[in-house]
Amino acid sequence: MSVSTLHHHSRPTALRSPARSTSHSPLRSRVQLVAPDLRIADSPAASVLRVACVEGPISRDSAARTTGLSIATVNRQVSALLGVGLLRERADLTAAGAIGRPRVPFEVNHEPFSTIGIHIGAVVTGIIVSDPRGKILGAVEIPTPSGSADAALASITRSAGAFAGRWHRRTPLWVGVALGGRVDTTTGTVDHPRLSWENAQVAGVIGGGLGLPISVSGHVEAMAASELLLAPRVSDVAAPPSSTGTSLYFYARESAGMALTIDGRVHTPSSGPGSIAHLPTGSSVLCSCGNRGCLEAAVSDRAIVTAAIDRKIFASVARGARPTISAVYRAATDGSEAARELLVERAVTLGRTVALLRDMFNPDRVVLGGQAFTAYPAGIPHVGEAFAANSTLPRRDIRVTGFGDRVQEFAATVVSLSSLYSDPLASMRRAAA
């Protein structure tokens, strides 16, 4: 796990009360940046914490069977995690007649702690407060601030501190940021063309402002990680991807992206995530790069709204309504054939693109995420038909994420928890520092 220490001039906020600034003058704060570890960790402490998250309350014997660790190893790890406060024992659940502490079930001690997740989108930014199990306690969306990167990040930090302050009885342990663009996880800096950010000091501004250890990740990689690390414990997520083999995660909303998971680890290139934004689709839509038919220019929410305006869908069906992607969905649901045709065109383009990527990488599984899939369920059959018609390989597991319209929330949550899940004892020491 990569750890960096940054020094940033910022307005730091108190750990236990992140909504309250400690000073109105710039102070030098020491920022602990830890590169996110987007994988199922196999260290003894991580294994015990994971089984407690997924199956707790659980006995030490059951934990040993589930993790494959010896009972002595489980006992040592439980004792260490009890010591840092991440686990608690449930003596009230001890079986009648059982003698000795090894018979006392344990579970995650989730009530005293929280983490802060931030998903910075091209249009909206989500702020999420979660507990150590990955359960979301609350979430709010704000418009992504315009202007310089520093000013926008400072505004987001203030909003995050104010929102997290609602859970003033919990100690925040970590902040995780997920966003698009070119993300350098080791320096916490981001180049984001859609937001006109170059070398944006995401870790320095947000980590320094909140006074917490911070991890920064590309958002599609984080979404793929949430399928690995959070899906097994979310009741409405069916058939989460296996920790073995390969998975292709495809995302589409205001941007488009993909990530690969290989044997329980999200592939994160050292030079940053790749891009499929300009993958050719065959459409005639002009992209900002000067070419026609680039993927994002054809399927993004902004592109669909622009096409709806050109086709006078708002004028004929939703006169006076604000031109948003939600208005296009409503028009299609209310019977506008023009809106339905537009969304079917996008679904077909998405299905063809997923088929191309699937044939290129030949993964064991394909997961589709983002509101381009989940916000208009009537388009899913068209995605499936286009995928089947254009993929040359035998049909395998392909499904829409079980996180629905909350993929961005869980992506930010998993970044805020990735270090804790990878190395819980060291992470608790860093949070305490």
Side-chain angles (χ1 to χ4, degrees):
M1 183 162 55
S2 174
V3 183
S4 301
T5 300
L6 307 178
H7 289 88
H8 177 73
H9 288 286
S10 64
R11 294 178 180 176
T13 344
L15 176 64
R16 292 184 179 272
S17 182
R20 188 177 304 161
S21 176
T22 60
S23 174
H24 293 288
S25 61
L27 298 175
R28 181 173 291 273
S29 62
R30 186 171 181 270
V31 179
Q32 292 192 76
L33 169 65
V34 181
D37 200 358
L38 305 180
R39 65 185 176 103
I40 298 177
D42 56 3
S43 69
S47 298
V48 170
L49 179 61
R50 178 171 174 79
V51 77
C53 287
V54 176
E55 300 186 23
I58 186 172
S59 70
R60 289 162 171 79
D61 289 342
S62 296
R65 287 192 296 271
T66 301
T67 61
L69 300 171
S70 69
I71 188 66
T73 299
V74 170
N75 282 333
R76 285 194 298 271
Q77 301 309 317
V78 170
S79 296
L81 292 168
L82 287 170
V84 297
L86 267 180
L87 295 183
R88 66 185 178 188
E89 292 184 316
R90 293 291 305 275
D92 56 309
L93 299 179
T94 305
I99 300 175
R101 290 189 65 184
R103 301 295 182 184
V104 180
F106 63 89
E107 67 181 4
V108 177
N109 188 23
H110 59 89
E111 292 174 350
F113 305 115
S114 66
T115 63
I116 303 171
I118 301 173
H119 177 268
I120 302 175
V123 177
V124 296
T125 290
I127 301 168
I128 305 94
V129 175
S130 307
D131 72 19
R133 301 169 300 177
K135 179 181 178 181
I136 292 176
L137 303 174
V140 66
E141 282 191 343
I142 61 173
T144 298
S146 57
S148 71
D150 278 355
L153 291 168
S155 176
I156 290 170
T157 303
R158 289 191 293 271
S159 296
F163 185 67
R166 299 181 184 182
W167 287 268
H168 60 276
R169 294 183 182 274
R170 292 177 181 261
T171 298
L173 300 175
W174 214 275
V175 58
V177 182
L179 71 169
R182 180 72 65 175
V183 179
D184 187 331
T185 61
T186 61
T187 64
T189 58
V190 177
D191 293 334
H192 199 308
R194 279 291 304 274
L195 296 175
S196 300
W197 291 0
E198 290 187 13
N199 196 35
Q201 304 295 308
V202 175
V205 176
I206 295 180
L210 293 175
L212 294 172
I214 184 170
S215 299
V216 183
S217 170
H219 65 164
V220 182
E221 288 80 1
M223 292 171 195
S226 70
E227 299 285 336
L228 280 176
L229 297 171
L230 300 181
R233 69 196 70 158
V234 179
S235 60
D236 60 348
V237 175
S242 169
S243 60
T244 60
T246 56
S247 297
L248 169 68
Y249 190 97
F250 184 95
Y251 170 79
R253 188 188 189 184
E254 192 58 49
S255 60
M258 57 151 285
L260 285 172
T261 300
I262 304 170
D263 290 337
R265 179 191 291 270
V266 179
H267 176 58
T268 52
S270 58
S271 59
S275 173
I276 60 172
H278 300 285
L279 201 67
T281 64
S283 79
S284 59
V285 180
L286 181 64
C287 179
S288 59
C289 72
N291 295 321
R292 292 188 179 274
C294 295
L295 180 62
E296 273 189 18
V299 303
S300 70
D301 285 357
R302 181 175 59 172
I304 298 303
V305 170
T306 300
I309 294 172
D310 291 343
R311 300 184 190 191
K312 300 194 171 30
I313 289 173
F314 295 114
S316 60
V317 177
R319 186 178 301 277
R322 184 176 174 221
T324 63
I325 190 65
S326 296
V328 181
Y329 295 143
R330 284 195 301 271
T333 302
D334 293 343
S336 167
E337 186 62 23
R340 191 195 72 83
E341 287 180 0
L342 176 60
L343 294 174
V344 168
E345 288 173 13
R346 175 165 73 167
V348 171
T349 299
L350 289 169
R352 285 200 308 260
T353 304
V354 174
L356 171 67
L357 294 171
R358 187 273 179 124
D359 285 8
M360 183 184 302
F361 294 103
N362 193 21
D364 299 308
R365 295 164 294 274
V366 177
V367 181
L368 309 178
Q371 283 77 354
F373 300 105
T374 59
Y376 185 63
I380 295 298
H382 301 282
V383 174
E385 291 170 7
F387 174 84
N390 289 275
S391 177
T392 61
L393 299 177
R395 185 175 180 86
R396 288 184 184 169
D397 179 18
I398 176 172
R399 65 179 182 87
V400 177
T401 178
F403 290 124
D405 288 344
R406 305 185 75 187
V407 290
Q408 293 86 0
E409 295 178 14
F410 283 100
T413 293
V414 83
V415 179
S416 73
L417 289 166
S418 64
S419 294
L420 192 70
Y421 288 171
S422 174
D423 194 345
L425 298 174
S427 295
M428 288 299 287
R429 288 193 295 269
R430 290 192 184 98

